[in-house]
Amino acid sequence: GTPLRDLAAAKGIYMGVALANGTLSSDATYKSIAATQFNTVTPENEMKWDTIESSKGSFNYSGGDAIVSFAQANSDKVRGHNLVWHSQLPGWVTSLPTNQVQAAMENHITNEVTHYKGKIYAWDVVNEPFDDSGNYRTDVFYNAMGGGVAYIADALKTARAADPAAKLYVNDYNIEGTGSKSDAMYNLVKSLKAQGAPIDGVGFESHFIVGQVPSSLKANMQRFADLGVDVAITELDVRMPTPATTANLNQQATDYANVVNTCLAITRCVGVTAWDLDDGHSWVPSTFSGQGAATLYDASYNPKPAYTAVQNALGGG
Ligand code: G3I
């Protein structure tokens, strides 16, 4: 059949995948499927703060550069993930005196965005700023800079100055359906817009449980789009108990198609990124014991019913 990347392009969206550089360089099948089927790449870990600047002022771009080279060789877009996040943050940042945090954040953003200037389609500038109740996480950035909107606006402005062409996103999970966390993100975007901060998009991670794609997904993404930002599905996977049953694999196919159809139905939805290529390289089993089978390909790289469902949703098959 026609690769997902071509089907998606014909429909005006991208089909992306999160990749790990270690696997790209050691596994030819993984690399070949990534190249053939997807036209946008997100580095799974290689552009995070703990990898890029593990000690103050010392920057390591090797893994991120390798992913960017792979993407460029395949004419793929790259989603930069991510610049500011409470997790995968080295200890030197969390132990800084409060009055040095803003400078460290701005320096990190400026250095990384400048390094990749012209090569990144969109940055997740701030990742996961909210807890599950929809309160700002009171992390080192929040505490040092006078609250959520303030540090996020500053991060966005710093990124914009370093690469004016890159789209700037805030990204989070459990904001896909309506609810208090989604409302918190909605109010953040409104506040950022009201003060003229450079926010271009909202990323809906979409780490779903089989059969539980929120029924409000479309209406919720549309209300963000109506604020004047792009929206994207940035980390899609659909987990289930393992070993997977046929019934769950079929429900998963329905779930994946539902998400792709939702993106297609929203003018400002720019694309869908699958979080990990195959079940053998998914983050899910190590985080959720007894669960997995969350991706489009099984651990032997056979396309699953979900793959066929995505293909059909994109008008192929
Ligand atoms: O690289 C080290 C290795 O040297 C060490 O031996 C090993 C032992 O634990 O750890 C390896 O690092 C792991 C890293 O993935 C690379 O494999 C970390 O422990 C592990 O925590 C890390 O997990 C990543 C996770 O983010 C960290 O929060 C996952 O791969 C990655 O898929 C996941 O991605 C996040 C997004 O960035 C944000 N949204 C949620 C999503 C899923 O959690």
Side-chain angles (χ1 to χ4, degrees), residues 188-269:
L188 168 63
V189 173
K190 263 177 43 179
S191 303
L192 291 169
K193 282 274 184 190
Q195 68 175 68
I199 173 81
D200 299 312
V202 174
F204 298 77
E205 292 188 12
S206 306
H207 295 290
F208 291 135
I209 295 168
V210 67
Q212 294 185 30
V213 176
S215 55
S216 55
L217 179 66
K218 184 176 166 195
N220 187 48
M221 290 182 79
Q222 185 64 57
R223 75 173 174 146
F224 280 86
D226 291 343
L227 290 176
V229 290
D230 289 344
V231 293
I233 302 287
T234 51
E235 305 184 12
L236 177 61
D237 54 20
V238 180
R239 63 186 181 267
M240 63 183 70
T242 49
T245 62
T246 301
N248 273 339
L249 291 170
N250 290 336
Q251 179 62 50
Q252 179 185 55
T254 301
D255 296 339
Y256 266 93
N258 182 358
V259 173
V260 170
N261 281 322
T262 299
C263 186
L264 289 173
I266 297 172
T267 307
R268 291 207 69 156
C269 185

Side-chain angles (χ1 to χ4, degrees), residues 5 35 70 156 167 180 188 228 260:
R5 60 179 287 156
F70 169 82
L156 290 164
K167 302 279 188 201
S180 52
L188 168 63
V260 170

